[in-house]
Amino acid sequence: MVNTNGITVRPSDGNRFLRNEQWTNEPLYGNATVYFADVNGDGKADAIIVHSNGITVRLSDGQRFLPGRIWVRHAYYGAITTAFVDVDGDGKADAVVVNQDEIAIRFSDGERFVDTEFWTRNPYYGNLAPVCR
């Protein structure tokens, strides 16, 4: 749960959710949104904080979210949607933005999202919310 006083996680044992664990004790949210995905390929979901001026990532060590590091230093989110999903199959979630006229991707190298690549330069989205898994 993302709250104004931090993030609470209920780990899963594969059959059920266990009791609450406080993983941060300070606010952790962006003025755009917060996502959770494995961006460094270690099998643990990391906290991805999207701001109007960049993206900060707090890696998970399996018991808490580590201090934040800036992965993108300027606005990077889509007008239609933003997703963090492993596009290239390397086990690390990449940053994908969908705008009215393009789809752009910044691949994760495990320590940052590298330069933007445009995969389409024309509209490519439906009228229902996309699901990225």
Side-chain angles (χ1 to χ4, degrees):
M1 294 180 291
V2 178
N3 298 301
T4 56
N5 64 343
I7 292 182
T8 302
V9 174
R10 293 191 77 179
S12 167
D13 67 4
N15 295 307
R16 61 191 162 91
F17 289 109
L18 305 174
R19 62 188 170 99
N20 289 348
E21 295 179 7
Q22 192 73 25
W23 279 33
T24 68
N25 291 316
E26 66 277 347
L28 182 64
Y29 50 88
N31 56 7
T33 192
V34 176
Y35 296 89
F36 298 92
D38 181 10
V39 295
N40 65 347
D42 66 356
K44 300 175 190 79
D46 307 301
I48 306 158
I49 304 97
V50 179
H51 303 276
S52 59
N53 62 351
I55 298 175
T56 300
V57 172
R58 293 187 67 165
L59 298 175
S60 169
D61 68 3
Q63 297 179 342
R64 65 190 171 103
F65 292 112
L66 303 174
R69 290 189 7 226
I70 297 171
W71 278 39
V72 176
R73 295 190 179 276
H74 57 82
Y76 194 77
Y77 52 89
I80 304 297
T81 194
T82 303
F84 293 88
V85 60
D86 183 11
V87 175
D88 57 359
D90 67 354
K92 297 181 282 284
D94 308 300
V96 180
V97 299
V98 179
N99 293 308
Q100 288 88 349
D101 58 350
E102 66 193 16
I103 296 176
I105 298 174
R106 291 184 74 132
F107 291 100
S108 170
D109 70 3
E111 296 182 6
R112 66 187 178 102
F113 294 116
V114 299
D115 295 335
T116 302
E117 291 184 23
F118 294 94
W119 278 30
T120 67
R121 289 287 195 164
N122 55 318
Y124 192 77
Y125 57 92
N127 60 1
L128 299 176
V131 177
C132 297
R133 297 177 193 218

